[in-house]
């Protein structure tokens, strides 16, 4: 058969689709396959109703389709009779190769070569964040990772996401792939090129991480790859079929026995989500971290794929290009823009050159409504939103919120008691600052004995800010409290990627530990407060008395879960509301989520969590869209 080992084989149901569409309807002239004229045999199959390749838009064969090329850093072809075999040889000898996939480039190297992984980390500026691994087949995955039936099913699903699984010891992988974590992110090959990299059996596993510099969008064009990945990749395995829309790999983790998305991209986008009201023409611009945009059509919400932090010009431009692409393919004209109320947000409608109305939405309200809308919860719900940062109505940094939320408005009925954030962003990068400042509010100068690993100069500067309350922004962030606990226990002393201290705290916790500290939840006429600093102090005293860090970490998780359920129960008694929605990046933590859900159910409440969207900031644009639609409906 002419398509044996064909690098671009496909069928009508899989292969390139969303990433090659320029506009609808989905016909070959409106895709990047228009550049390739079908040969006589392919055209015959394409035009024959009885053929399985009838109107398979990306149809091609080796004589009429895209072609692979292997290039060096200068963009010149590396001499070889077969670029793919030469690529395999380079990988075998420790090279880092940028491989063009379905929605962008990957950076690949051997997963058993610690030196190659270290070079990739250094060049990509990704110090410790875990790297995804592509394995040859399910048998390899089972050998290196702990998996249940759900993880196996996800790995082999047509969506082919990265699946977070437990790490097995002695798997033969480089230790620096996921340092400090008990988990691995695995995926199976999902394009012909991926399969062919493994077909000769030279590797069982390859690092297959997004082709970008950390915090930038994934590279998806050949020119950009040669420019932005130059100096990272030793060679480029590319081809001449353009990727019109970038689309990174999706990430899934099984939480509470069912899958939860941690990143929603390839395989899941652009499946729409429901809206309880008309959202036609609303364009939501999302948040700041893990950003997405969304467009409303009738009563459906179309969310873009994950792009990343809106911290660079490339990321902002990437998000606006997704806005225009969604508007074009959905045939929707914008009627209003919706964005975060933070005064310094970079995603502003002025960028579009439009004078349309701009609706501002509080960050945690958007989280809450996203979970409500996804689960089709009508009316009001009690919503627990735990994350790292969100601009609050009082100008403080929110992130540990208990809201009574509706579609258009919300009431803050409780929160984590404010903690000082000494030095602002510096306390996020160095979580020991957070630990010292929080403990200082309870222990005074005795807090100086915590975090003995901190440099004396930094410790004294932190305590000086805490004493004078200078340069200490108040924050109710649950994410920062988890950072403080991680640093206080010596688990994560410096944050090198977003969420690292909390991720490593969960990884270190004893999941069998059921002990708890005092929950310290108080209620007044004004609000319900969880005393996070008081819980942290109890954990510190336990640790100081000799309790192992893993036991203290387990008790800390259990206590926060119990305190959360108690605060919600108090709010339910007052409001009569029994539906509870959980959203925010902290609910990517399996230990925290499962214990909170269990405690809520024990209290007679009905918890709802995200399943079709990540609980992190990727869901914010969805919430913004629904809120804008609800406010528009009320104003009529």
């Amino acid at each position: 058969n002419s398509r044996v080992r064909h690098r671009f084989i496909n069928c009508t149901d899989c292969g390139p689709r969303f990433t090659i569409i320029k506009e609808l309807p989905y016909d070959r002239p409106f895709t990047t396959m228009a550049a390739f004229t079908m040969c006589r045999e392919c055209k015959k199959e394409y035009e024959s109703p009885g053929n399985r390749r009838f109107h398979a838009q990306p149809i091609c064969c080796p004589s009429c389709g895209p072609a692979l090329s292997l290039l060096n850093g200068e963009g010149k072809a590396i001499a070889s009779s077969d670029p793919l075999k030469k690529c395999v040889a380079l990988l075998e000898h420790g090279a880092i190769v940028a491989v063009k996939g379905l929605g962008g480039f990957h950076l690949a190297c051997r997963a058993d070569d610690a030196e190659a992984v270290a070079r990739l980390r250094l060049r990509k500026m990704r110090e410790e964040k875990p790297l995804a691994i592509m394995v040859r087949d399910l048998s390899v995955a089972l050998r290196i990772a702990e998996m249940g039936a759900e993880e196996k099913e996800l790995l082999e699903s047509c969506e082919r996401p990265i699946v977070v699984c437990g790490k097995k010891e002695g798997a033969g992988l480089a230790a620096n792939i996921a340092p400090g974590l008990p988990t691995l992110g695995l995926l199976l090959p999902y394009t012909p090129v991926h399969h062919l990299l493994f077909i000769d059996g030279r590797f069982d596993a390859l690092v297959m991480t997004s082709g970008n510099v950390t915090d930038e969008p994934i590279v998806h064009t050949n020119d950009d790859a040669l420019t932005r990945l130059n100096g990272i990749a030793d060679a480029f395995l590319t081809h001449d079929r353009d990727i019109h829309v970038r689309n990174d790999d999706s990430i899934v983790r099984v939480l509470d026995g069912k899958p939860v998305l941690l990143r929603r991209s390839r395989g899941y986008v652009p499946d729409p989500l429901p809206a309880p009201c008309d959202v036609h023409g609303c364009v939501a611009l999302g948040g700041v971290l893990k950003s997405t945009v969304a467009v409303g059509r009738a009563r459906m919400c179309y969310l873009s794929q994950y792009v990343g932090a809106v911290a660079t010009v490339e990321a902002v431009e990437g998000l606006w290009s997704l806005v225009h692409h969604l508007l074009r393919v959905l045939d929707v004209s914008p009627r209003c823009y919706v964005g975060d109320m933070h005064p310094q947000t970079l995603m502003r409608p002025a960028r579009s050159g439009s004078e349309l109305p701009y609706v501002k939405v509080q960050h945690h309200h958007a989280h809450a409504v996203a979970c409500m809308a996804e689960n089709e919860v009508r009316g009001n719900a009690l919503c627990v939103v735990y994350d790292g940062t969100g601009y609050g109505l009082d100008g403080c940094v929110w992130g540990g919120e208990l809201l009574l939320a509706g579609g258009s408005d919300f009431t803050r009925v409780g929160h984590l008691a404010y903690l000082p954030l000494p030095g602002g962003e510096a306390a996020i990068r160095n979580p020991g600052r957070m630990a010292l400042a929080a403990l200082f509010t309870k222990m005074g100068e005795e807090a100086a004995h915590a975090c003995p690993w901190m440099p004396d100069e930094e410790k004294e500067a932190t305590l000086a800010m805490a004493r004078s309350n200078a340069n200490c922004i108040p924050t109710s962030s649950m994410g920062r409290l988890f950072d403080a606990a991680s640093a206080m226990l010596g688990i994560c002393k410096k944050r090198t990627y977003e969420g690292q201290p909390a991720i490593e705290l969960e990884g270190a916790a004893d999941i069998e530990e059921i002990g708890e500290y005092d929950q310290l939840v108080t209620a007044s006429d004004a609000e319900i407060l969880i005393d996070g600093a008081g819980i942290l102090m109890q954990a510190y005293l336990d640790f100081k008395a000799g309790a192992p860090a893993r036991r203290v970490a387990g008790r800390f998780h259990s206590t926060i879960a119990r305190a959360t359920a108690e605060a919600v129960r108090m709010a339910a008694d007052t409001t009569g509301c029994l539906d509870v929605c959980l959203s925010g990046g902290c609910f990517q933590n399996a230990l925290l989520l499962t214990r909170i859900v269990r405690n809520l159910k024990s209290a007679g409440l009905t918890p709802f969590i995200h399943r079709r969207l990540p609980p992190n900031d990727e869901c914010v644009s969805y919430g913004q869209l629904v809120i804008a639609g609800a406010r528009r409906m009320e104003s009529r």
Side-chain angles (χ1 to χ4, degrees):
N1 188 291
S2 65
R3 293 191 180 92
V4 170
R5 292 200 177 194
H6 175 37
R7 277 76 161 146
F8 301 93
I9 196 167
N10 64 83
C11 75
T12 56
D13 297 323
C14 66
R17 186 176 290 238
F18 178 62
T19 57
I20 66 170
I21 293 174
K22 293 182 176 180
E23 56 186 277
L24 293 180
Y26 177 53
D27 288 323
R28 190 179 178 102
F30 302 134
T31 72
T32 60
M33 285 298 296
F36 303 95
T37 302
M38 285 180 277
C39 66
R40 185 175 62 183
E41 290 302 315
C42 286
K43 190 172 184 181
K44 181 179 177 181
E45 292 178 317
Y46 181 81
E47 294 177 346
S48 301
N51 192 285
R52 64 178 177 170
R53 290 189 171 89
F54 174 64
H55 269 246
Q57 306 306 334
I59 188 174
C60 61
C61 71
S63 65
C64 68
L68 279 180
S69 302
L70 187 64
L71 310 176
N72 62 20
E74 296 177 354
K76 296 180 180 178
I78 296 175
S80 172
S81 59
D82 188 332
L84 196 140
K85 286 187 176 180
K86 180 65 175 177
C87 174
V88 169
L90 290 174
L91 288 167
E92 190 176 20
H93 290 90
I96 297 167
V97 181
V99 179
K100 189 173 183 180
L102 202 61
F105 280 80
H106 287 106
L107 290 166
C109 71
R110 288 181 58 153
D112 59 354
D113 187 339
E115 184 180 334
V117 174
R119 279 189 282 111
L120 175 57
R121 286 193 175 280
L122 180 65
R123 296 178 186 179
K124 186 176 160 71
M125 294 187 288
R126 188 166 177 167
E127 294 178 56
E128 296 178 309
K129 189 174 182 180
L131 301 167
I133 304 169
M134 182 175 283
V135 295
R136 186 182 66 243
D137 53 32
L138 185 61
S139 66
V140 176
L142 290 169
R143 194 180 75 236
I144 67 177
E146 302 283 355
M147 287 189 288
E150 296 83 2
E151 285 87 357
K152 294 177 193 175
E153 185 177 345
L154 284 165
L155 267 179
E156 294 192 297
S157 68
C158 61
E159 290 84 2
R160 280 293 200 272
I162 297 169
V163 182
V164 179
C165 307
K167 187 190 298 182
K168 281 186 178 177
E169 295 300 324
L173 300 176
N176 51 352
I177 283 176
L181 296 179
T183 55
L184 293 169
L186 304 180
L187 77 163
L188 293 177
Y190 60 86
T191 71
V193 169
H194 293 148
H195 283 281
L196 292 169
L197 288 174
F198 290 98
I199 201 167
D200 291 331
R202 300 202 196 179
F203 324 106
D204 283 341
L206 290 169
V207 169
M208 199 69 72
T209 187
S210 302
N212 60 357
V213 177
T214 295
D215 291 335
E216 291 186 2
I218 187 172
V219 171
H220 70 294
T221 70
N222 294 345
D223 289 344
D224 266 2
L226 291 169
T227 301
R228 291 168 56 196
L229 302 182
N230 191 16
I232 302 178
D234 299 308
F236 299 79
L237 184 65
T238 185
H239 56 74
D240 53 353
R241 183 183 68 208
D242 288 342
I243 298 171
H244 186 64
V245 180
R246 61 167 56 91
N247 205 6
D248 214 333
D249 295 320
S250 297
I251 306 176
V252 184
R253 185 180 188 186
V254 175
L255 301 180
D256 198 27
K258 294 180 181 179
V260 169
L261 284 160
L262 306 185
R263 182 199 290 167
R264 182 179 181 267
S265 273
R266 179 187 50 75
Y268 298 90
V269 172
D271 289 350
L273 289 101
C277 55
D278 178 28
V279 291
H280 195 86
C282 296
V283 179
L285 304 179
V288 176
L289 295 173
K290 294 181 170 61
S291 294
T292 61
V293 293
V295 169
R297 185 172 73 172
R299 293 171 70 102
M300 302 301 289
C301 303
Y302 292 82
L303 270 67
S304 75
Q305 58 274 39
Y306 161 89
V307 171
V310 188
T312 64
V313 172
E314 290 83 5
V316 173
E317 290 177 347
L319 282 166
W320 276 110
S321 70
L322 294 182
V323 169
H324 299 316
H325 183 253
L326 283 172
L327 289 170
R328 185 168 60 253
V329 298
L330 294 172
D331 193 24
V332 170
S333 297
R335 298 179 183 176
C336 73
Y337 289 93
V338 199
D340 195 271
M341 65 177 288
H342 195 294
Q344 296 179 343
T345 181
L346 295 178
M347 286 297 290
R348 296 176 179 273
R351 286 291 305 255
S352 70
S354 171
E355 298 298 325
L356 293 172
Y358 180 47
V359 181
K360 295 183 179 180
V361 174
Q362 200 279 325
H363 181 85
H364 299 97
H365 185 209
H367 265 293
V369 171
C371 191
M372 292 171 63
E374 180 185 333
N375 288 284
E376 300 188 56
V377 176
R378 300 291 186 248
N380 292 333
L382 288 169
C383 300
V384 179
V385 186
Y386 286 170
D387 64 1
T389 301
Y391 188 81
L393 298 181
D394 57 1
C396 297
V397 177
W398 288 11
E401 310 308 310
L402 175 54
L403 312 177
L404 178 63
S408 62
D409 205 356
F410 72 96
T411 302
R412 191 191 197 196
V413 296
H415 59 90
L416 187 72
Y418 281 124
L419 300 169
L421 188 66
E425 287 290 326
I428 299 174
R429 293 189 300 272
N430 299 285
R433 289 187 174 210
M434 199 70 220
L436 287 179
L439 291 172
F440 183 85
T441 65
K442 296 296 179 182
M443 305 172 63
E445 296 301 327
E446 287 296 311
H449 299 297
C451 304
W453 46 267
M454 280 184 73
D456 290 341
E457 184 177 339
E458 184 175 14
K459 180 177 284 193
E460 180 51 38
T462 301
L463 291 172
M465 284 187 278
R467 290 185 197 105
S468 63
N469 199 30
N471 198 21
C472 288
I473 304 167
T475 180
S476 61
S477 169
M478 185 61 75
R480 299 289 82 82
L481 182 64
F482 270 74
D483 289 356
S486 186
M488 183 267 291
L489 294 173
I491 293 169
C492 182
K493 302 171 183 177
K494 181 183 178 182
R495 192 191 86 155
T496 64
Y497 62 88
E498 195 260 331
Q500 181 183 6
I503 291 169
E504 293 189 1
L505 181 69
E506 180 199 353
D510 182 354
I511 61 174
E512 303 297 329
E513 177 60 51
I514 58 173
E516 297 175 358
Y517 305 115
D518 293 337
Q519 284 84 58
L520 305 179
V521 182
T522 58
S524 67
D525 292 339
E527 57 192 359
I528 300 166
L529 293 179
I530 299 174
D531 185 359
I535 294 172
L536 186 70
M537 182 184 71
Q538 293 177 80
Y540 169 67
L541 293 175
D542 193 16
F543 183 55
K544 186 180 178 182
R550 62 191 304 268
R551 183 184 301 167
V552 176
R555 290 174 178 172
F556 179 80
H557 278 82
S558 294
T559 306
I560 295 297
R562 182 74 66 182
T564 301
E566 177 62 15
V568 175
R569 185 198 60 77
M570 291 178 177
D573 288 346
T574 302
T575 63
C577 188
L578 301 180
D579 290 337
V580 185
C581 293
L582 307 178
S583 189
C586 291
F587 290 113
Q588 296 174 135
N589 182 321
L591 189 57
L592 180 68
L593 178 69
T594 54
R595 292 189 178 184
I596 287 180
V597 167
R598 183 181 63 205
N599 291 338
L600 289 172
K601 288 180 177 178
S602 296
L605 301 167
T606 305
F608 295 92
I609 67 175
H610 290 282
R611 292 295 184 190
R612 298 180 61 189
L613 288 177
N616 61 42
D617 281 8
E618 287 185 54
C619 74
V620 166
S621 61
Y622 179 43
Q624 290 173 342
L625 210 61
V626 174
I627 291 167
R631 290 180 183 174
R632 184 170 65 184
M633 183 175 66
E634 286 185 356
S635 68
R636 288 174 177 168

